[in-house]
């Protein structure tokens, strides 16, 4: 920081501004972040719940940006953390640091263009596409109500950010009134450019010291070659344990016959009739080819599916060539141009995806899915994004990753390896990086018990066993409710909920899907005699301190699905170490996140119960256990039930 502002003084001012107390772990983390920025060295810093890690990176980030020319990018995985940063933490940090810096630091939030309301679509409607009916929807339908709700909100919103709308609108309703970057006319051609919400957000980001965004946008900015974020030299990735999965999702292609059909409908007025018909025929061939293909990984394309992809690529190319046109100047021509831009965007998407699938090589994974709820789909993803991240995110900028769970099996190496930090490009040394665990302010051995049900049979594929249900009911009864149940599938959660409602009718038990997840969490937190059962979205981000959550039950070790084509391909590529590098690392991360739902404050007490005996008996158990908080451990069910009853009595 060149000594312009003392870090310790700045951190103390920020902590005071939020009404907090100085914490050793927070101070260590802030010093490490500042040192990593100064040394241009990447940093993985594990900071337990309650450390105050947002201030530990925001303060050095603001000081660095204030002393230089570029903003610091802060990327999060969840909307909840984004809101916390821009609505609570950053305003207070700015207030605290303004007197020290003798200027007021600025911050902004920036999302993908499709997150913002498009004024052109709002006021002019789609010129020529298959969503035209959305602008006169039946007033009594959910779709119609959402469209009218968005239009009413448009009169009062200052940001146009869809995340302001609660509850969230239907995807189809929002899509009709927003535009992707491919569909956007561009500031030079749109009559609403001066009022554009997306352009305003980008302008604020260009003038900010700290720009808050999400993992997907960070990944696309780094790996697509299209600059979406302001020029920067430091990136902070909060919730860093999710970066690999989020980045993989951002660069994964999906292709369905429906997407090709939609592109054909949109482009029909801008191409020859024969081209339109050929694109529809390609869509029909793709649907047939996908239905004939066996679900799972495809090693080599052949037959009807190969021919259909070639047709989508080649006819798409012809449609793009035919539909290229001059930009209009007057209102009528501008509207026609808007329709052409959106139509071409839809065709360009399927044309490019088909081309990438056809060109997929040994470093790609291509697979087909069949589902009762969705039409068959084709996917392509990189076998690994480690090299992509190393070469396109970690080169040229300093990256700080932080999370409560970055050490797996007692080491940062599994996460660092997935990020591409443990090896260099051919002929190059690996990037310089360091790992730091600043600990937690919580006394885990005194505040929590880890119970592993060694006596239960290993979980099977036929749903919860009678022994499992007996054990679960006994624990929940001893706790008097107060239970967050984390299950490996929604079906398992529903089966367990149905059984326990019959066995313990005096307790209130909600299951994910009974209402919006956020509303269920709110009810659970408000009623100590209740239970909440659910699946993946409850394993991370649920924050219920106090007496309402004194028992966290995990039904089984959360390994990824063994038939997941991408997981299988990555395991096979890793050879003998594949299971530990992929499946066990995934399970360790989720186990740590799920266990972290229990202790959320220094006053919390409780039990994490893992009802999967493999955590006590399997060869990989030690690796998983070393990834968890250091709770006091037992495999004695009587001890655990007595402890739960004692906690219940003291609440």
């Amino acid at each position: 920081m060149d000594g312009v502002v003392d870090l310790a003084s700045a951190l103390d001012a920020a902590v005071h501004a939020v009404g907090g107390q100085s914490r050793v772990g927070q101070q260590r983390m802030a010093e490490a972040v500042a040192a990593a920025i100064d040394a241009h060295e990447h940093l993985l810093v594990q900071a337990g719940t309650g450390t105050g890690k947002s201030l530990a990176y925001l303060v050095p980030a603001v000081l660095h940006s204030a002393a230089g020319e570029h903003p610091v990018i802060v990327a999060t995985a969840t909307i909840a953390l984004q809101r916390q940063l821009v609505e609570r933490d950053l305003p207070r940090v700015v207030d605290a640091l303004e007197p020290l810096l003798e200027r007021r630091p600025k911050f902004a939030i920036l999302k993908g263009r499709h997150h913002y309301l498009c004024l052109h679509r709002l006021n002019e409607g789609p010129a020529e596409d298959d969503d035209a009916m959305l602008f006169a929807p039946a007033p009594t339908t959910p779709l119609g109500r959402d469209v009218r709700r968005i239009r009413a909100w448009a009169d009062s919103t200052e940001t146009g950010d869809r995340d302001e709308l609660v509850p969230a609108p239907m995807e189809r309703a929002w899509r009709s009134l927003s535009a992707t970057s491919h569909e956007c006319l561009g500031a030079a051609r749109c009559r609403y450019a001066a009022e554009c919400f997306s352009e305003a957000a980008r302008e604020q980001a260009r003038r900010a010291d700290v720009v808050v965004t999400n993992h997907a946008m960070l990944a696309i900015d780094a790996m697509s070659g299209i600059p979406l974020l302001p020029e920067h030299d430091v990136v902070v990735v909060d919730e860093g344990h999710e970066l690999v999965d989020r980045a993989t999702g951002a660069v994964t292609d999906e292709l369905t016959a429906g997407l090709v059909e939609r592109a054909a409908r949109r482009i029909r007025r801008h191409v020859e009739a024969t081209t339109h018909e050929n694109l529809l025929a390609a869509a029909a061939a793709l649907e047939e080819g996908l239905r004939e293909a066996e679900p799972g990984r495809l090693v080599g394309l052949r037959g009807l599916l190969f021919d259909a992809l070639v047709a989508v690529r080649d006819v798409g190319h012809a449609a793009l060539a035919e539909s290229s046109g001059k930009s209009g100047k007057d209102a009528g021509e501008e509207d026609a141009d808007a329709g052409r831009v959106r139509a071409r965007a839809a065709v360009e998407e399927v044309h490019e995806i088909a081309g990438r699938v056809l060109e997929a090589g040994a470093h790609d994974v291509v697979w087909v899915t069949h589902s009762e709820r969705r039409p068959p789909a084709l996917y392509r993803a990189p076998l690994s994004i480690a090299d992509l991240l190393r070469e396109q995110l970690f080169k040229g900028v300093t990256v700080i990753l932080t999370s409560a769970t970055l050490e797996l099996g007692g080491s940062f190496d599994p996460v660092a390896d997935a990020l591409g930090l443990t090896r260099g490009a051919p002929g190059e040394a690996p990037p310089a990086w360091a790992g730091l665990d600043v600990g937690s302010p919580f006394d885990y051995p005194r505040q929590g018990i880890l119970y592993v049900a060694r006596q239960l049979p290993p979980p099977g594929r036929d749903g919860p066993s009678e022994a499992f249900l007996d054990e679960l009911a006994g624990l929940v009864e001893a706790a008097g409710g107060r239970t967050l149940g984390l299950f490996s599938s929604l079906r398992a959660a529903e089966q367990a909920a149905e059984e326990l409602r019959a066995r313990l009718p005096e307790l209130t038990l909600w299951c994910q899907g009974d209402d919006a997840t956020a509303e269920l969490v709110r009810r659970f937190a408000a009623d100590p005699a209740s239970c909440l059962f659910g699946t993946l979205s409850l394993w991370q981000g649920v924050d219920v301190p106090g007496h309402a959550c004194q028992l966290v039950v995990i039904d089984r070790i959360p390994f990824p699905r063994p038939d997941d084509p991408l997981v299988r391909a990555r395991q096979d590529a890793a050879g003998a170490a594949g299971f530990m590098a992929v499946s066990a690392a995934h399970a360790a991360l989720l186990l740590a996140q799920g266990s972290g739902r229990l202790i959320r404050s220094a006053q919390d007490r409780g039990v994490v119960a893992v009802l999967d005996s493999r955590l006590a008996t399997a060869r990989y158990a030690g690796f998983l256990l070393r990834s968890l908080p250091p709770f006091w451990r037992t495999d004695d069910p009587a001890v655990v039930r007595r402890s739960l009853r004692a906690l219940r009595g003291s609440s």
Side-chain angles (χ1 to χ4, degrees):
M1 308 303 169
D2 299 324
V4 175
V5 175
D6 177 68
L7 174 63
S9 299
L11 182 60
D12 284 345
V15 170
H16 178 74
V18 301
Q21 295 180 340
S22 178
R23 303 164 190 169
V24 173
Q26 186 181 61
Q27 293 170 352
R28 289 182 63 203
M29 178 174 170
E31 291 166 358
V33 170
I37 292 173
D38 285 344
H40 307 292
E41 181 179 84
H42 307 303
L43 175 67
L44 277 62
V45 54
Q46 179 164 285
T49 303
T51 302
K53 64 179 182 293
S54 59
L55 292 191
Y57 64 71
L58 287 176
V59 170
V62 171
L63 295 182
H64 170 75
S65 181
E69 299 178 355
H70 301 307
V72 171
I73 305 298
V74 176
T76 77
T78 61
I79 293 171
L81 182 53
Q82 285 183 12
R83 285 178 173 163
Q84 175 189 315
L85 291 174
V86 299
E87 295 174 8
R88 190 186 74 183
D89 295 341
L90 275 165
R92 295 175 181 179
V93 168
V94 163
D95 288 342
L97 299 189
E98 182 178 8
L100 300 176
L101 295 171
E102 298 182 350
R103 77 169 179 85
R104 187 167 182 81
K106 298 177 181 178
F107 62 89
I109 185 167
L110 185 59
K111 304 176 183 179
R113 192 175 290 276
H114 64 284
H115 277 274
Y116 299 95
L117 187 68
C118 174
L119 293 176
H120 191 282
R121 300 203 82 170
L122 179 76
N123 293 307
E124 310 297 335
E128 309 159 355
D129 67 26
D130 59 327
D131 289 331
M133 53 77 63
L134 291 172
F135 290 82
T140 57
T141 64
L143 183 63
R145 287 194 294 269
D146 262 2
V147 169
R148 291 201 313 280
R149 184 161 64 94
I150 296 170
R151 287 183 168 277
W153 166 75
D155 293 332
S156 60
T157 180
E158 295 182 1
T159 67
D161 183 346
R162 76 175 285 177
D163 291 331
E164 286 184 5
L165 274 167
V166 179
M170 294 175 63
E171 181 61 32
R172 193 176 176 202
W174 181 258
R175 190 177 67 224
S176 72
L177 295 171
S178 63
T180 66
S181 56
H182 283 112
E183 295 171 332
C184 178
L185 282 173
R189 290 185 287 173
C190 180
R191 75 185 74 174
Y192 300 99
E195 309 161 69
C196 176
F197 293 120
S198 178
E199 290 298 319
R202 277 153 181 73
E203 179 58 32
Q204 289 180 354
R206 283 190 286 270
R207 294 184 279 108
D209 294 281
V210 175
V211 178
V212 178
T213 188
N214 57 51
H215 288 183
M217 192 161 179
L218 174 67
I220 294 170
D221 175 81
M223 294 190 281
S224 70
I226 302 171
L228 303 178
L229 300 171
E231 188 176 353
H232 54 275
D233 58 358
V234 174
V235 172
V236 177
V237 183
D238 204 339
E239 301 170 310
H241 62 279
E242 293 204 48
L243 178 61
V244 170
D245 284 346
R246 300 283 178 142
T248 299
V251 297
T252 296
D253 292 318
E254 177 183 1
L255 187 64
T256 66
L259 287 173
V260 182
E261 289 173 359
R262 187 180 71 176
R265 287 196 298 270
R266 289 187 172 185
I267 203 71
R268 67 189 182 279
R269 297 188 183 181
H270 306 287
V271 297
E272 297 292 333
T274 302
T275 303
H276 171 240
E277 291 168 2
N278 287 343
L279 198 52
L280 285 175
L286 179 62
E287 181 173 20
E288 186 177 351
L290 288 173
R291 292 194 183 282
E292 285 186 359
E294 288 291 325
R297 186 180 183 185
L298 300 178
V299 181
L301 290 165
R302 58 184 66 86
L304 181 58
L305 183 56
F306 173 82
D307 294 339
L309 287 167
V310 170
V312 172
R313 181 195 63 189
D314 293 349
V315 179
H317 177 77
L320 291 171
E322 289 178 23
S323 62
S324 60
K326 303 290 185 181
S327 298
K329 300 272 187 183
D330 62 38
E333 289 177 324
E334 181 190 290
D335 292 344
D337 195 47
R340 182 184 293 110
V341 167
R342 291 174 190 138
R344 285 175 56 82
V347 174
E348 188 173 23
E349 179 184 17
V350 298
H351 161 71
E352 291 181 351
I353 292 174
R356 286 194 291 269
V357 173
L358 288 166
E359 294 168 5
H363 297 293
D364 297 291
V365 181
V366 177
W367 71 96
V368 171
T369 62
H370 291 178
S371 168
E372 294 180 0
R373 299 181 179 180
R374 299 186 61 197
L378 180 69
Y379 294 88
R380 183 213 65 90
L383 178 61
S384 168
I385 64 164
D387 292 343
L388 283 171
L389 288 173
R390 184 190 64 239
E391 295 301 309
Q392 299 183 39
L393 174 61
F394 289 93
K395 262 193 177 176
V397 301
T398 301
V399 182
I400 314 293
L401 289 102
T402 185
S403 168
T405 49
L406 286 179
E407 274 191 298
L408 302 180
S411 171
F412 286 99
D413 287 348
V415 170
D417 188 57
L419 294 167
L421 294 176
T422 57
R423 58 187 182 275
E428 295 183 7
W433 69 279
L436 173 68
D437 182 359
V438 300
S440 168
F442 303 147
D443 188 350
Y444 284 109
R446 291 181 178 272
Q447 290 184 247
I449 296 172
L450 174 63
Y451 165 54
V452 180
R454 177 189 288 268
Q455 78 282 5
L456 290 181
R461 297 183 178 181
D462 300 326
S465 67
E466 194 67 20
F468 171 93
L469 293 169
D470 289 343
E471 185 70 20
L472 176 62
L475 292 170
V476 172
E477 183 178 33
R482 309 168 195 269
T483 302
L484 178 64
L486 304 177
F487 290 81
S488 54
S489 70
L490 185 58
R491 180 170 175 267
E494 290 171 342
Q495 289 176 321
E498 181 181 2
E499 181 69 23
L500 261 66
R501 283 169 178 152
R503 294 190 184 204
L504 305 172
E506 70 279 9
L507 294 179
T508 300
L509 196 158
W510 291 292
C511 188
Q512 195 169 2
D514 291 344
D515 204 332
T517 300
E519 174 60 18
L520 292 176
V521 172
R522 187 197 65 78
R523 293 182 198 169
F524 173 60
D527 182 1
S530 67
C531 303
L532 174 59
F533 288 3
T535 184
L536 192 59
S537 62
L538 296 183
W539 286 70
Q540 305 181 74
V542 173
D543 187 11
V544 181
H547 301 316
C549 183
Q550 294 185 328
L551 172 62
V552 172
V553 175
I554 295 174
D555 72 328
R556 62 197 301 162
I557 297 171
F559 292 118
R561 288 174 56 96
D563 58 351
D564 184 304
L566 190 55
V567 170
R568 288 291 300 273
R570 288 176 170 174
Q571 284 192 186
D572 291 345
F579 172 80
M580 293 301 294
V582 180
S583 289
H586 173 94
L589 193 153
L590 270 183
L591 270 179
Q593 283 287 312
S595 299
R597 299 314 97 205
L598 180 67
I599 305 299
R600 309 300 297 176
S601 76
Q603 291 72 45
D604 288 350
R605 302 289 187 275
V607 172
V608 173
V610 181
L611 306 188
D612 186 337
S613 57
R614 293 175 297 176
L615 191 58
T617 61
R619 59 180 176 81
Y620 48 77
F623 173 80
L624 299 179
L625 288 168
R626 288 192 299 273
S627 305
L628 302 182
F631 297 116
W632 184 79
R633 296 179 190 168
T634 183
D635 57 10
D636 187 334
V639 168
V640 171
R641 294 187 194 190
R642 283 199 302 270
S643 298
L644 287 170
R645 291 190 185 100
L647 281 173
R648 176 183 178 183
S650 64
S651 300

